[in-house]
Amino acid sequence: MPVARRETCDGRVIAHVDMDCFYVQVEQRKQPSLRGLPTAVVQYNSYKGGGLIAVSYEARKSGVKRRSSIHEYKNVFVFSSMRGDEAKEACPQIQLVQVPVARGKANLNTYRNAGSEVVSILSRKGRCERASIDEVYLDLTDAAQTMLMETPPESVEHVQEEVLKSHVLGLQIEDEDDAKEEVRKWLCKSDASYQDKLLACGAFIVADLRMQVLKETEFTCSAGVAHNKMLAKLASAMNKPAQQTVVPQSSVEGLLEYFPIKKMKQLGGKLGTSLQSDLGVNTVGDLLQFSEDKLQQRYGINTGTWLWNIARGISGEEVEGRLLPKSHGSGKTFPGPQALKTIGSVQHWLNELCEELSERLDSDMDQNKRIAHTLTLHARAYKTGDSDSHKKFPSKSCPLRYGTTKIQEDALTLFLAGLRDFLSFYNFKTHGNENNNWGITALSVSASKIVPIPSGTHSIAKYFSERFPSGSSSNQSVDDVIDEVAPSSPSAGSDNCLGVIPSELQLEYPEEDTGVNHSKACLDHQDLLCNLSEKVDGLTEESSHVALPGNEDRMTRNEPYRDLLSKEPRLAFNASSLKAVEKKKAAGKKPHGNSSIIKFFNNYHNSQSSFEQKNVTNAQGVKIPLLHGSQSASGSNLTSNQVEMASEIHQLEEIDANNSGCSIDTMPQGSQAWSYNIDEIDPSIIDELPPEIQEELRTWLRPRKRPNVVKRGSSITQYFRPDKGR
Ligand code: DCP
């Protein structure tokens, strides 16, 4: 739920820069013959020509768009992507380019690297926050103040064309032929307010940055310039492509007056719905009629104040200085009939995903001297007969161990722990060949809590030798497996609506209608898994240190484990890990360790030669690696998983009938709306989506806690139990 922050009466100058049809531009740079032609990038699944994920502005003129249709399915709205075949009907000359593929999934490194190039240029002028693969916020306050002091706009003799092409909201322009002259007058007005003068300087700076981006990368972008992030973001989408829009304070009311309330960041979900249905608020302007008191009474103090502020275009949200990603993720969806129904198939894909993740982690460590601490597994599953089942697969996390094999092992262990919980929700008890009708429709692994490796006297090797003291077993697996609390919305902790799945997202899975056929092998796996799961309590719900195992012999004395291992040798290490976790309470603190770290470093250094690397350095001295060559090259550092998301969520789209997820329309007006299907959301990469849709996705993806599961010592009521302390 939204939380009111310290609000400044803004003398800040904030820009939001958004690339134009980004993937298309990247592909057109690769193939210059495509420039100027109607072009679209399609997902790698070629069904019906592949779903469109990016569309050039030339193609948009012929009616080609990402989203092709909206229809109602079981009382919810369902959005479908336009397919390549459909695009060809609308625009026969269209050039369709397939997203690059590696490991059976979209490979987004090219887009990541392209985004990094842009960020390295934009960050030259001020604090820079990479909000998604192709979106950046800039705090240009200092640069604008400096310009105002040293070379104020009115002193500029020749104002660049790009600056004059700015759109200034609220500026009356009678004759379009005079537009540039009117804009020049506004920008260079000597008796303008201090705030407007700062914005005018911002317009000069942003235009200059955009021209630099074009010159150095060949990409065009659009921008909004305003006193805060919220307004800058709304403005950047208003005039595209290759344009910029300035929001003077005096035009804020006019901008927001008719702006649909549900399109506002954080209001796309239940809070926005409540405003509509309970207060009759349909536009941001409608909110103005309510006093702060009234809004606080209805929605709580924080949210009430936050609403009162946004009605007036007030937002104190800071631009975070963040050029490097907060996490790395690799995910894949398996919609419709592609759902994974055996442990073996899950393991296969986890291995692929972990390999990619591991490469990106290695690259991050090499280039940025950063290491990640936490490995998290997200999955989405269905269980026949429960239309809500897709919300119930719990995310799991554990300390991250470097090295592809270890990450693969740990990810599988996390998956098994999650599956155990998922199935136990249904009081699942398997005996014999009972068919449990589960399927996995999305898998992802992510690495988070990324921190710099301590510098100074500590060498990397020393750091690792301390973090992973020698002597621990090389076949150790997961130290701690914990339920991953789904990323909370910015509103967490407040008192209202978000956190509940928006009704428009509550879809049933088509697979449940079609039934599931399990192979014999699959049944064996499930049977064994169930047996295993019954033996492994304590894997979930609590984060505590566990003893590490490495003693398969002890494990195989246990009947269920022996069964499991004999039938599924691939799971041996996982059974070991799970068994170890079972022992955790008895064992108390575990020894940390990773005896293979030296080996890892050897492998790591060897692996670096497989691709060519090129770095760019930004004004803040941050080295931004660009990777070229082999697709096995790890992802870039400035990446945003938005790209990842963007393609992942579109890949593997299956037959429409099986793809009847729904989408959320959260983009501001003037921009092609995002659309995605429930079946296609990769939770690990939400961080890199455009922020306005992160909120809703997070609330939707948050696993529901089982009512009968209580985290010991975790609740305040527990703490204040009457017998406490007696
Ligand atoms: N993307 C995707 N799937 C989506 C939305 C986006 O794969 N549903 C990818 C392709 C886009 C990139 O992310 O090029 C950036 O998304 P934007 O929403 O910013 O859209 P574009 O940059 O393509 O177009 P616009 O000029 O309208 O911003």
Side-chain angles (χ1 to χ4, degrees), residues 18-25 41 52-55 57 60 66 81 108 132-135 222 240-241 642-650 667 670-676 689-690 692:
D18 186 31
M19 305 308 293
D20 303 315
C21 55
F22 188 46
Y23 286 16
V24 169
Q25 288 205 76
V41 176
L52 270 51
I53 55 177
V55 179
Y57 282 82
R60 292 183 202 193
R66 272 204 300 248
S81 297
L108 307 172
S132 71
I133 182 64
D134 75 334
E135 280 177 283
S222 301
K240 286 191 123 226
Q642 181 221 13
V643 185
E644 177 86 11
M645 170 77 165
S647 279
E648 295 300 323
I649 61 181
H650 283 277
M667 285 296 283
S671 169
Q672 186 77 18
W674 275 74
S675 69
Y676 38 82
L689 280 167
E692 73 273 13

